[in-house]
Amino acid sequence: MAQAAAVAKPPKVPRRRSANPRKLPYLLIAPAGLLMVGFIAYPVLSVFYYSLQNYNVTKPWRNGFAGFDNYTKIFTDDDQFWSTLGFSAQWVVTQVSLQLVLGLALALIVNQSFVGRGISRAMVFSPWAVSGVLTSTIWILLYNSSTGFSRYLADAGIGDYGTSVLSDTGTVFWAATVSELWRGVPFFAILILADLQSVSKELYEAASVDGAGRIRQFVHITLPHLRDAIILSTLLRAVWEFNNVDLLYTLTGGGPAGVTTTLPLYVANTGIEGHDFGYASALTTVAFVILLFCSIVYLRLSKFGGDHK
Amino acid sequence: MTAALAEKTPATPPPAAEVTPPAGNRRRGRERSYDDVPRWQIYVPLGVYLLFTLIPFYWMFLFAVRPAGSTSLAPWPMTGEHFEKVWTERSFAVFFQNSMIVGIATLIATTLVALAGGYALARFDFKIKGAFMLALLCSQFIPGALMLVPLFEIFKNLQMINSLGSVVIAETVFQLPLSIILISGFIKNVPVTLEEAAWVDGCSRFRAFCAVVLPLLRPGLIAVGSFAFVHSWNHFLFALMFLSEQDKQTIPVGLNTLIGADSVDLGALAAGGVIAAVPVVIIFAFIQKWLITGFSAGAVKG
């Protein structure tokens, strides 16, 4: 029927379609734009505004403009800021590098053709769908000192586990690391696998005709091809691992003795439990600036999107 | 019109087919050494990794179904006592319903808003396009957890505290940037000539979009929609902060309550975990194929 209309009045069709060719894109991004201005841009600005205030719900008499006092305190008089920043760096670097190496290996394996590939993929990727809180739940069950995995190991005569690995300052880092790896590796594996699909098979064929072995093919074909995907996914993951608090909040609560408190977790504790919104906002601003700075440096150093083959 | 469309359709990128190349030419030819990895080099590391992935799931399942006090490593005799307890006493029935509402509402809102925005980015050049893209990318660096206080105040002013709507809005907003970038990548992959053919046949832009582009976007929409659902199902802090009444809470908050209980009831915790895991893991198992296609079509190159 649309065809009939087109035949009857041919000139009308293009006019109707391009009624507002200038306004249409703005109309289309309006919902997203308004939501982001209202619920991202405005809150970001108010975080910065709060950071210049004394704003503590429990001490309302002190509230008011504070200038840069909050910032001065962070850099001169807050050991916890530096220790949580240090732990954040340790956490992000450990997570991202291990996730990348394991994820790459996993992607290369499940990119091969073998019997049972579909089901294996679905299974090894499944932790990706699991939340931080659920990951904590699962690993709390595994790490539990009286009924967990270690108990069965001890019963079998392998090792001696008196306390939970989560309450020992010496083991808690690796315990938390393993549980985060469990759900983080699939993220890399999926992204890398997606990119592996687009490597031209002819390249490998040509290379093997020329006598290049699998390792040389990997170094000279696969890795260069994956370059941008790897740079981008490590950056996204690093930002995410830095910002996310779900897992550590529920798995260790930042403990024992504060050794697993990341900077965002420290901010959340200061703001939500300590009600010191002004100081928490200043910490937030500092965290954001550090993150942005590191990201820009990283993209520059890695020459993202640069000329390569 | 339909004839013109039917003719053009084969020109579009093949959907899921690319993931699994036809089985026939896999083993062909000695020279394809890259594909001819010795089987043990696949199965041994894969097996080890499968154990690492599956043992934790099994462990949770085991604790959820075995009777309290049992130390058996086999899941039988099975009992439903823990499920019954969390479902009724710990109000996981209510949490489950709330999580479903939040997840589905976020899925719909994110997909619709991102579809509009993604179409604008893929098909138009406009003045603030660069600025809009930059804003999308920058927003990825803003920690959602650190914006809790201002967001809380906004929702308080809107009188939306304790309403699931606040969580839906917050989840949607934080899903949008990535979703828009993904969807615009998918739309760019649909040749614009297909749409033009429909316009020539007299379709309005909107009709042409619905009839021609939308069906081809299916893998992309599944990827983006399932992302949005899984994220909002899983996310914890917004629900924790904005929903203080217990009958408004979602599953992750319910789980956290079980973790934080003075004496952790491991059976109940495990049963709650199974309830939290089942929907997302099932969704994920079905969609992972499209996800991989979707990423390789949209995100990585987009």
Side-chain angles (χ1 to χ4, degrees), chain A residues 1 17 50 55 113 117 129 152 182 194 208 214 217 243 245 295, chain B residues 20 26 31 34 39 41 53 71 141 143 153 199 207 234 237 296:
Chain A
M1 90 235 116
R17 188 178 58 247
Y50 292 151
Y55 178 20
S113 45
R117 180 170 79 166
Y152 291 88
W182 178 73
S208 59
R214 276 180 25 231
Q217 291 181 19
N243 282 335
V245 299
S295 307
Chain B
T20 7
R26 257 178 224 154
E31 76 272 31
Y34 191 80
R39 299 290 94 176
Q41 285 186 16
T53 302
T71 54
F141 294 96
E153 303 223 314
W199 301 344
R207 266 204 59 154
N234 281 338
L237 277 180
S296 53

PDB file of all heavy atoms in Angstrom, chain A residues 1 17 50 55 113 117 129 152 182 194 208 214 217 243 245 295, chain B residues 20 26 31 34 39 41 53 71 141 143 153 199 207 234 237 296:
ATOM      1  N   MET A   1       0.829  -1.190   0.000  1.00  0.00           N
ATOM      2  CA  MET A   1       0.000   0.000   0.000  1.00  0.00           C
ATOM      3  C   MET A   1       0.864   1.240   0.000  1.00  0.00           C
ATOM      4  O   MET A   1       0.523   2.262  -0.582  1.00  0.00           O
ATOM      5  CB  MET A   1      -0.972  -0.037   1.182  1.00  0.00           C
ATOM      6  CG  MET A   1      -0.449   0.588   2.425  1.00  0.00           C
ATOM      7  SD  MET A   1      -0.344  -0.209   3.992  1.00  0.00           S
ATOM      8  CE  MET A   1       1.350  -0.277   4.300  1.00  0.00           C
ATOM      9  N   ARG A  17      10.007  12.172   4.370  1.00  0.00           N
ATOM     10  CA  ARG A  17      11.062  11.485   5.086  1.00  0.00           C
ATOM     11  C   ARG A  17      12.049  12.479   5.690  1.00  0.00           C
ATOM     12  O   ARG A  17      12.525  12.328   6.789  1.00  0.00           O
ATOM     13  CB  ARG A  17      11.799  10.537   4.137  1.00  0.00           C
ATOM     14  CG  ARG A  17      12.773   9.646   4.853  1.00  0.00           C
ATOM     15  CD  ARG A  17      13.432   8.707   3.889  1.00  0.00           C
ATOM     16  NE  ARG A  17      14.114   9.399   2.821  1.00  0.00           N
ATOM     17  CZ  ARG A  17      13.769   9.374   1.553  1.00  0.00           C
ATOM     18  NH1 ARG A  17      12.725   8.683   1.186  1.00  0.00           N
ATOM     19  NH2 ARG A  17      14.449  10.025   0.637  1.00  0.00           N
ATOM     20  N   TYR A  50      30.267  19.709  46.557  1.00  0.00           N
ATOM     21  CA  TYR A  50      30.335  19.218  47.942  1.00  0.00           C
ATOM     22  C   TYR A  50      31.776  19.144  48.432  1.00  0.00           C
ATOM     23  O   TYR A  50      32.053  19.317  49.610  1.00  0.00           O
ATOM     24  CB  TYR A  50      29.733  17.812  48.065  1.00  0.00           C
ATOM     25  CG  TYR A  50      28.247  17.724  47.850  1.00  0.00           C
ATOM     26  CD1 TYR A  50      27.680  16.559  47.348  1.00  0.00           C
ATOM     27  CD2 TYR A  50      27.403  18.776  48.166  1.00  0.00           C
ATOM     28  CE1 TYR A  50      26.319  16.453  47.140  1.00  0.00           C
ATOM     29  CE2 TYR A  50      26.041  18.685  47.961  1.00  0.00           C
ATOM     30  CZ  TYR A  50      25.505  17.526  47.447  1.00  0.00           C
ATOM     31  OH  TYR A  50      24.158  17.415  47.242  1.00  0.00           O
ATOM     32  N   TYR A  55      30.525  19.183  54.904  1.00  0.00           N
ATOM     33  CA  TYR A  55      29.164  18.690  54.738  1.00  0.00           C
ATOM     34  C   TYR A  55      29.100  17.346  55.445  1.00  0.00           C
ATOM     35  O   TYR A  55      29.438  16.325  54.901  1.00  0.00           O
ATOM     36  CB  TYR A  55      28.843  18.582  53.249  1.00  0.00           C
ATOM     37  CG  TYR A  55      27.468  18.027  52.927  1.00  0.00           C
ATOM     38  CD1 TYR A  55      26.439  18.042  53.867  1.00  0.00           C
ATOM     39  CD2 TYR A  55      27.186  17.513  51.673  1.00  0.00           C
ATOM     40  CE1 TYR A  55      25.190  17.548  53.557  1.00  0.00           C
ATOM     41  CE2 TYR A  55      25.934  17.015  51.352  1.00  0.00           C
ATOM     42  CZ  TYR A  55      24.951  17.032  52.305  1.00  0.00           C
ATOM     43  OH  TYR A  55      23.701  16.536  51.994  1.00  0.00           O
ATOM     44  N   SER A 113      38.536 -25.627  16.901  1.00  0.00           N
ATOM     45  CA  SER A 113      37.341 -26.443  16.733  1.00  0.00           C
ATOM     46  C   SER A 113      37.577 -27.793  17.394  1.00  0.00           C
ATOM     47  O   SER A 113      38.614 -28.421  17.179  1.00  0.00           O
ATOM     48  CB  SER A 113      37.042 -26.619  15.245  1.00  0.00           C
ATOM     49  OG  SER A 113      38.215 -26.925  14.553  1.00  0.00           O
ATOM     50  N   ARG A 117      32.593 -27.902  21.789  1.00  0.00           N
ATOM     51  CA  ARG A 117      33.048 -26.525  21.940  1.00  0.00           C
ATOM     52  C   ARG A 117      31.930 -25.603  22.433  1.00  0.00           C
ATOM     53  O   ARG A 117      32.144 -24.793  23.329  1.00  0.00           O
ATOM     54  CB  ARG A 117      33.567 -26.011  20.597  1.00  0.00           C
ATOM     55  CG  ARG A 117      34.040 -24.594  20.685  1.00  0.00           C
ATOM     56  CD  ARG A 117      34.756 -24.193  19.446  1.00  0.00           C
ATOM     57  NE  ARG A 117      33.818 -23.880  18.371  1.00  0.00           N
ATOM     58  CZ  ARG A 117      34.178 -23.251  17.251  1.00  0.00           C
ATOM     59  NH1 ARG A 117      35.430 -22.901  17.083  1.00  0.00           N
ATOM     60  NH2 ARG A 117      33.303 -23.004  16.328  1.00  0.00           N
ATOM     61  N   ALA A 129      28.338 -13.817  34.001  1.00  0.00           N
ATOM     62  CA  ALA A 129      26.989 -13.336  34.270  1.00  0.00           C
ATOM     63  C   ALA A 129      26.720 -13.144  35.754  1.00  0.00           C
ATOM     64  O   ALA A 129      25.667 -12.676  36.145  1.00  0.00           O
ATOM     65  CB  ALA A 129      25.958 -14.310  33.688  1.00  0.00           C
ATOM     66  N   TYR A 152      37.935 -29.914  53.758  1.00  0.00           N
ATOM     67  CA  TYR A 152      38.045 -31.210  53.096  1.00  0.00           C
ATOM     68  C   TYR A 152      39.497 -31.519  52.745  1.00  0.00           C
ATOM     69  O   TYR A 152      39.940 -32.661  52.824  1.00  0.00           O
ATOM     70  CB  TYR A 152      37.153 -31.253  51.848  1.00  0.00           C
ATOM     71  CG  TYR A 152      35.691 -31.250  52.204  1.00  0.00           C
ATOM     72  CD1 TYR A 152      35.010 -30.052  52.375  1.00  0.00           C
ATOM     73  CD2 TYR A 152      34.996 -32.435  52.415  1.00  0.00           C
ATOM     74  CE1 TYR A 152      33.679 -30.037  52.730  1.00  0.00           C
ATOM     75  CE2 TYR A 152      33.665 -32.430  52.767  1.00  0.00           C
ATOM     76  CZ  TYR A 152      33.012 -31.230  52.929  1.00  0.00           C
ATOM     77  OH  TYR A 152      31.690 -31.212  53.291  1.00  0.00           O
ATOM     78  N   TRP A 182      37.880 -15.520  38.962  1.00  0.00           N
ATOM     79  CA  TRP A 182      36.885 -16.515  38.548  1.00  0.00           C
ATOM     80  C   TRP A 182      35.840 -15.897  37.628  1.00  0.00           C
ATOM     81  O   TRP A 182      35.413 -16.501  36.654  1.00  0.00           O
ATOM     82  CB  TRP A 182      36.233 -17.097  39.812  1.00  0.00           C
ATOM     83  CG  TRP A 182      35.164 -18.100  39.560  1.00  0.00           C
ATOM     84  CD1 TRP A 182      35.324 -19.375  39.126  1.00  0.00           C
ATOM     85  CD2 TRP A 182      33.759 -17.907  39.731  1.00  0.00           C
ATOM     86  NE1 TRP A 182      34.110 -19.984  39.030  1.00  0.00           N
ATOM     87  CE2 TRP A 182      33.124 -19.111  39.400  1.00  0.00           C
ATOM     88  CE3 TRP A 182      32.973 -16.830  40.160  1.00  0.00           C
ATOM     89  CZ2 TRP A 182      31.760 -19.272  39.461  1.00  0.00           C
ATOM     90  CZ3 TRP A 182      31.605 -16.997  40.220  1.00  0.00           C
ATOM     91  CH2 TRP A 182      31.007 -18.209  39.870  1.00  0.00           C
ATOM     92  N   ALA A 194      35.730 -12.676  20.460  1.00  0.00           N
ATOM     93  CA  ALA A 194      34.972 -11.935  19.457  1.00  0.00           C
ATOM     94  C   ALA A 194      35.918 -11.372  18.400  1.00  0.00           C
ATOM     95  O   ALA A 194      35.636 -11.420  17.202  1.00  0.00           O
ATOM     96  CB  ALA A 194      34.184 -10.807  20.118  1.00  0.00           C
ATOM     97  N   SER A 208      51.555 -20.543   7.254  1.00  0.00           N
ATOM     98  CA  SER A 208      52.018 -21.918   7.453  1.00  0.00           C
ATOM     99  C   SER A 208      52.622 -22.483   6.169  1.00  0.00           C
ATOM    100  O   SER A 208      53.515 -23.320   6.220  1.00  0.00           O
ATOM    101  CB  SER A 208      50.896 -22.803   8.001  1.00  0.00           C
ATOM    102  OG  SER A 208      49.818 -22.816   7.120  1.00  0.00           O
ATOM    103  N   ARG A 214      53.265 -22.393  14.907  1.00  0.00           N
ATOM    104  CA  ARG A 214      52.116 -21.803  15.600  1.00  0.00           C
ATOM    105  C   ARG A 214      52.509 -20.625  16.467  1.00  0.00           C
ATOM    106  O   ARG A 214      51.792 -19.645  16.574  1.00  0.00           O
ATOM    107  CB  ARG A 214      51.389 -22.864  16.403  1.00  0.00           C
ATOM    108  CG  ARG A 214      50.428 -23.619  15.526  1.00  0.00           C
ATOM    109  CD  ARG A 214      49.633 -24.699  16.222  1.00  0.00           C
ATOM    110  NE  ARG A 214      49.470 -24.487  17.653  1.00  0.00           N
ATOM    111  CZ  ARG A 214      49.754 -25.408  18.543  1.00  0.00           C
ATOM    112  NH1 ARG A 214      50.228 -26.575  18.166  1.00  0.00           N
ATOM    113  NH2 ARG A 214      49.562 -25.183  19.812  1.00  0.00           N
ATOM    114  N   GLN A 217      53.112 -17.677  14.254  1.00  0.00           N
ATOM    115  CA  GLN A 217      51.824 -17.179  13.755  1.00  0.00           C
ATOM    116  C   GLN A 217      51.120 -16.353  14.827  1.00  0.00           C
ATOM    117  O   GLN A 217      50.544 -15.296  14.543  1.00  0.00           O
ATOM    118  CB  GLN A 217      50.923 -18.348  13.358  1.00  0.00           C
ATOM    119  CG  GLN A 217      51.405 -19.080  12.124  1.00  0.00           C
ATOM    120  CD  GLN A 217      50.477 -20.226  11.748  1.00  0.00           C
ATOM    121  OE1 GLN A 217      49.331 -20.275  12.154  1.00  0.00           O
ATOM    122  NE2 GLN A 217      50.995 -21.139  10.961  1.00  0.00           N
ATOM    123  N   ASN A 243      36.874   0.909  40.142  1.00  0.00           N
ATOM    124  CA  ASN A 243      35.648   1.524  40.651  1.00  0.00           C
ATOM    125  C   ASN A 243      34.735   0.575  41.410  1.00  0.00           C
ATOM    126  O   ASN A 243      33.991   0.997  42.271  1.00  0.00           O
ATOM    127  CB  ASN A 243      34.851   2.114  39.480  1.00  0.00           C
ATOM    128  CG  ASN A 243      35.416   3.427  39.030  1.00  0.00           C
ATOM    129  OD1 ASN A 243      36.060   4.129  39.808  1.00  0.00           O
ATOM    130  ND2 ASN A 243      35.203   3.762  37.784  1.00  0.00           N
ATOM    131  N   VAL A 245      32.959  -1.838  43.826  1.00  0.00           N
ATOM    132  CA  VAL A 245      33.128  -2.137  45.247  1.00  0.00           C
ATOM    133  C   VAL A 245      32.331  -3.360  45.688  1.00  0.00           C
ATOM    134  O   VAL A 245      32.531  -3.851  46.798  1.00  0.00           O
ATOM    135  CB  VAL A 245      32.735  -0.939  46.137  1.00  0.00           C
ATOM    136  CG1 VAL A 245      33.592   0.262  45.836  1.00  0.00           C
ATOM    137  CG2 VAL A 245      31.281  -0.593  45.986  1.00  0.00           C
ATOM    138  N   SER A 295      44.392   6.866  32.594  1.00  0.00           N
ATOM    139  CA  SER A 295      43.819   6.378  31.340  1.00  0.00           C
ATOM    140  C   SER A 295      44.436   7.087  30.147  1.00  0.00           C
ATOM    141  O   SER A 295      44.767   6.462  29.139  1.00  0.00           O
ATOM    142  CB  SER A 295      42.310   6.590  31.316  1.00  0.00           C
ATOM    143  OG  SER A 295      41.730   6.039  32.453  1.00  0.00           O
TER     144      SER A 295
ATOM    145  N   THR B  20      30.575 -20.278  14.013  1.00  0.00           N
ATOM    146  CA  THR B  20      30.957 -21.660  13.798  1.00  0.00           C
ATOM    147  C   THR B  20      31.114 -21.899  12.308  1.00  0.00           C
ATOM    148  O   THR B  20      30.129 -22.014  11.610  1.00  0.00           O
ATOM    149  CB  THR B  20      29.888 -22.634  14.344  1.00  0.00           C
ATOM    150  OG1 THR B  20      28.761 -21.861  14.742  1.00  0.00           O
ATOM    151  CG2 THR B  20      30.398 -23.463  15.459  1.00  0.00           C
ATOM    152  N   ARG B  26      37.356 -28.087   8.141  1.00  0.00           N
ATOM    153  CA  ARG B  26      38.243 -27.874   9.285  1.00  0.00           C
ATOM    154  C   ARG B  26      39.521 -28.689   9.192  1.00  0.00           C
ATOM    155  O   ARG B  26      40.606 -28.221   9.421  1.00  0.00           O
ATOM    156  CB  ARG B  26      37.520 -28.255  10.557  1.00  0.00           C
ATOM    157  CG  ARG B  26      37.069 -27.001  11.293  1.00  0.00           C
ATOM    158  CD  ARG B  26      36.327 -27.419  12.502  1.00  0.00           C
ATOM    159  NE  ARG B  26      35.125 -26.616  12.625  1.00  0.00           N
ATOM    160  CZ  ARG B  26      34.043 -27.015  13.238  1.00  0.00           C
ATOM    161  NH1 ARG B  26      33.986 -28.224  13.761  1.00  0.00           N
ATOM    162  NH2 ARG B  26      33.019 -26.235  13.334  1.00  0.00           N
ATOM    163  N   GLU B  31      48.361 -28.190   5.395  1.00  0.00           N
ATOM    164  CA  GLU B  31      49.003 -26.892   5.649  1.00  0.00           C
ATOM    165  C   GLU B  31      48.305 -26.065   6.720  1.00  0.00           C
ATOM    166  O   GLU B  31      48.856 -25.114   7.217  1.00  0.00           O
ATOM    167  CB  GLU B  31      49.108 -26.086   4.333  1.00  0.00           C
ATOM    168  CG  GLU B  31      47.805 -25.465   3.865  1.00  0.00           C
ATOM    169  CD  GLU B  31      47.017 -26.427   2.987  1.00  0.00           C
ATOM    170  OE1 GLU B  31      47.130 -27.662   3.196  1.00  0.00           O
ATOM    171  OE2 GLU B  31      46.299 -25.973   2.098  1.00  0.00           O
ATOM    172  N   TYR B  34      47.559 -24.258  11.893  1.00  0.00           N
ATOM    173  CA  TYR B  34      47.037 -23.470  13.013  1.00  0.00           C
ATOM    174  C   TYR B  34      45.808 -24.129  13.609  1.00  0.00           C
ATOM    175  O   TYR B  34      45.569 -24.069  14.802  1.00  0.00           O
ATOM    176  CB  TYR B  34      46.693 -22.063  12.552  1.00  0.00           C
ATOM    177  CG  TYR B  34      46.402 -21.164  13.719  1.00  0.00           C
ATOM    178  CD1 TYR B  34      47.440 -20.606  14.448  1.00  0.00           C
ATOM    179  CD2 TYR B  34      45.092 -20.916  14.133  1.00  0.00           C
ATOM    180  CE1 TYR B  34      47.194 -19.812  15.527  1.00  0.00           C
ATOM    181  CE2 TYR B  34      44.847 -20.121  15.218  1.00  0.00           C
ATOM    182  CZ  TYR B  34      45.902 -19.563  15.908  1.00  0.00           C
ATOM    183  OH  TYR B  34      45.649 -18.781  16.998  1.00  0.00           O
ATOM    184  N   ARG B  39      44.989 -32.640  20.128  1.00  0.00           N
ATOM    185  CA  ARG B  39      43.780 -32.593  20.950  1.00  0.00           C
ATOM    186  C   ARG B  39      44.070 -32.375  22.429  1.00  0.00           C
ATOM    187  O   ARG B  39      43.378 -31.638  23.101  1.00  0.00           O
ATOM    188  CB  ARG B  39      42.964 -33.880  20.772  1.00  0.00           C
ATOM    189  CG  ARG B  39      42.495 -34.138  19.369  1.00  0.00           C
ATOM    190  CD  ARG B  39      41.430 -33.173  18.907  1.00  0.00           C
ATOM    191  NE  ARG B  39      42.008 -32.064  18.185  1.00  0.00           N
ATOM    192  CZ  ARG B  39      41.328 -31.097  17.587  1.00  0.00           C
ATOM    193  NH1 ARG B  39      40.015 -31.100  17.650  1.00  0.00           N
ATOM    194  NH2 ARG B  39      41.924 -30.111  16.961  1.00  0.00           N
ATOM    195  N   GLN B  41      46.282 -30.721  23.819  1.00  0.00           N
ATOM    196  CA  GLN B  41      46.586 -29.319  24.141  1.00  0.00           C
ATOM    197  C   GLN B  41      45.324 -28.473  24.254  1.00  0.00           C
ATOM    198  O   GLN B  41      45.361 -27.361  24.763  1.00  0.00           O
ATOM    199  CB  GLN B  41      47.503 -28.723  23.072  1.00  0.00           C
ATOM    200  CG  GLN B  41      48.923 -29.216  23.196  1.00  0.00           C
ATOM    201  CD  GLN B  41      49.859 -28.518  22.234  1.00  0.00           C
ATOM    202  OE1 GLN B  41      49.545 -27.487  21.674  1.00  0.00           O
ATOM    203  NE2 GLN B  41      51.029 -29.090  22.055  1.00  0.00           N
ATOM    204  N   THR B  53      36.030 -23.266  36.981  1.00  0.00           N
ATOM    205  CA  THR B  53      34.759 -22.564  36.795  1.00  0.00           C
ATOM    206  C   THR B  53      33.607 -23.264  37.504  1.00  0.00           C
ATOM    207  O   THR B  53      32.786 -22.620  38.147  1.00  0.00           O
ATOM    208  CB  THR B  53      34.409 -22.490  35.291  1.00  0.00           C
ATOM    209  OG1 THR B  53      35.474 -21.834  34.619  1.00  0.00           O
ATOM    210  CG2 THR B  53      33.136 -21.716  35.072  1.00  0.00           C
ATOM    211  N   THR B  71      27.921 -33.392  55.764  1.00  0.00           N
ATOM    212  CA  THR B  71      29.215 -33.035  55.193  1.00  0.00           C
ATOM    213  C   THR B  71      29.467 -33.809  53.904  1.00  0.00           C
ATOM    214  O   THR B  71      30.583 -33.828  53.398  1.00  0.00           O
ATOM    215  CB  THR B  71      30.372 -33.334  56.168  1.00  0.00           C
ATOM    216  OG1 THR B  71      30.270 -34.705  56.574  1.00  0.00           O
ATOM    217  CG2 THR B  71      30.322 -32.425  57.374  1.00  0.00           C
ATOM    218  N   PHE B 141      34.329   6.554  32.953  1.00  0.00           N
ATOM    219  CA  PHE B 141      35.337   6.683  34.004  1.00  0.00           C
ATOM    220  C   PHE B 141      34.747   7.130  35.326  1.00  0.00           C
ATOM    221  O   PHE B 141      35.438   7.209  36.317  1.00  0.00           O
ATOM    222  CB  PHE B 141      36.416   7.672  33.560  1.00  0.00           C
ATOM    223  CG  PHE B 141      37.197   7.175  32.398  1.00  0.00           C
ATOM    224  CD1 PHE B 141      36.874   7.545  31.114  1.00  0.00           C
ATOM    225  CD2 PHE B 141      38.231   6.278  32.594  1.00  0.00           C
ATOM    226  CE1 PHE B 141      37.572   7.053  30.040  1.00  0.00           C
ATOM    227  CE2 PHE B 141      38.926   5.777  31.524  1.00  0.00           C
ATOM    228  CZ  PHE B 141      38.604   6.162  30.245  1.00  0.00           C
ATOM    229  N   PRO B 143      32.912   6.661  38.525  1.00  0.00           N
ATOM    230  CA  PRO B 143      32.507   5.545  39.361  1.00  0.00           C
ATOM    231  C   PRO B 143      31.103   5.714  39.882  1.00  0.00           C
ATOM    232  O   PRO B 143      30.808   6.678  40.602  1.00  0.00           O
ATOM    233  CB  PRO B 143      33.514   5.575  40.506  1.00  0.00           C
ATOM    234  CG  PRO B 143      34.141   6.914  40.462  1.00  0.00           C
ATOM    235  CD  PRO B 143      33.937   7.497  39.119  1.00  0.00           C
ATOM    236  N   GLU B 153      20.387  12.343  46.797  1.00  0.00           N
ATOM    237  CA  GLU B 153      19.698  13.620  47.014  1.00  0.00           C
ATOM    238  C   GLU B 153      18.716  13.915  45.880  1.00  0.00           C
ATOM    239  O   GLU B 153      17.620  14.431  46.121  1.00  0.00           O
ATOM    240  CB  GLU B 153      20.722  14.735  47.133  1.00  0.00           C
ATOM    241  CG  GLU B 153      21.712  14.460  48.249  1.00  0.00           C
ATOM    242  CD  GLU B 153      22.003  15.690  49.078  1.00  0.00           C
ATOM    243  OE1 GLU B 153      22.233  16.741  48.458  1.00  0.00           O
ATOM    244  OE2 GLU B 153      22.001  15.584  50.310  1.00  0.00           O
ATOM    245  N   TRP B 199      13.042   3.570   1.367  1.00  0.00           N
ATOM    246  CA  TRP B 199      12.520   4.933   1.206  1.00  0.00           C
ATOM    247  C   TRP B 199      11.998   5.124  -0.204  1.00  0.00           C
ATOM    248  O   TRP B 199      10.939   5.703  -0.412  1.00  0.00           O
ATOM    249  CB  TRP B 199      13.606   5.983   1.449  1.00  0.00           C
ATOM    250  CG  TRP B 199      14.225   5.924   2.801  1.00  0.00           C
ATOM    251  CD1 TRP B 199      13.739   5.284   3.895  1.00  0.00           C
ATOM    252  CD2 TRP B 199      15.448   6.535   3.196  1.00  0.00           C
ATOM    253  NE1 TRP B 199      14.582   5.443   4.952  1.00  0.00           N
ATOM    254  CE2 TRP B 199      15.642   6.213   4.548  1.00  0.00           C
ATOM    255  CE3 TRP B 199      16.392   7.318   2.537  1.00  0.00           C
ATOM    256  CZ2 TRP B 199      16.763   6.648   5.250  1.00  0.00           C
ATOM    257  CZ3 TRP B 199      17.492   7.763   3.240  1.00  0.00           C
ATOM    258  CH2 TRP B 199      17.677   7.422   4.590  1.00  0.00           C
ATOM    259  N   ARG B 207       9.298   3.739   9.339  1.00  0.00           N
ATOM    260  CA  ARG B 207       8.835   2.436   8.846  1.00  0.00           C
ATOM    261  C   ARG B 207       9.986   1.643   8.256  1.00  0.00           C
ATOM    262  O   ARG B 207      10.094   0.433   8.444  1.00  0.00           O
ATOM    263  CB  ARG B 207       7.738   2.633   7.803  1.00  0.00           C
ATOM    264  CG  ARG B 207       6.347   2.572   8.391  1.00  0.00           C
ATOM    265  CD  ARG B 207       5.368   2.184   7.325  1.00  0.00           C
ATOM    266  NE  ARG B 207       5.695   0.875   6.729  1.00  0.00           N
ATOM    267  CZ  ARG B 207       4.801   0.099   6.166  1.00  0.00           C
ATOM    268  NH1 ARG B 207       3.559   0.493   6.102  1.00  0.00           N
ATOM    269  NH2 ARG B 207       5.156  -1.049   5.631  1.00  0.00           N
ATOM    270  N   ASN B 234      22.193  -7.818  38.762  1.00  0.00           N
ATOM    271  CA  ASN B 234      23.344  -8.067  39.613  1.00  0.00           C
ATOM    272  C   ASN B 234      23.725  -6.901  40.504  1.00  0.00           C
ATOM    273  O   ASN B 234      24.371  -7.075  41.521  1.00  0.00           O
ATOM    274  CB  ASN B 234      24.562  -8.372  38.733  1.00  0.00           C
ATOM    275  CG  ASN B 234      24.553  -9.788  38.215  1.00  0.00           C
ATOM    276  OD1 ASN B 234      23.896 -10.649  38.804  1.00  0.00           O
ATOM    277  ND2 ASN B 234      25.253 -10.026  37.143  1.00  0.00           N
ATOM    278  N   LEU B 237      24.755  -1.715  44.815  1.00  0.00           N
ATOM    279  CA  LEU B 237      24.813  -0.501  45.625  1.00  0.00           C
ATOM    280  C   LEU B 237      23.609   0.423  45.450  1.00  0.00           C
ATOM    281  O   LEU B 237      23.127   0.987  46.430  1.00  0.00           O
ATOM    282  CB  LEU B 237      26.094   0.278  45.304  1.00  0.00           C
ATOM    283  CG  LEU B 237      27.335  -0.204  46.043  1.00  0.00           C
ATOM    284  CD1 LEU B 237      28.529   0.636  45.648  1.00  0.00           C
ATOM    285  CD2 LEU B 237      27.136  -0.131  47.550  1.00  0.00           C
ATOM    286  N   SER B 296      31.901  -8.883  18.071  1.00  0.00           N
ATOM    287  CA  SER B 296      32.805  -8.783  16.931  1.00  0.00           C
ATOM    288  C   SER B 296      32.204  -7.898  15.850  1.00  0.00           C
ATOM    289  O   SER B 296      32.922  -7.281  15.082  1.00  0.00           O
ATOM    290  CB  SER B 296      33.154 -10.168  16.380  1.00  0.00           C
ATOM    291  OG  SER B 296      31.994 -10.895  16.116  1.00  0.00           O
TER     292      SER B 296
END
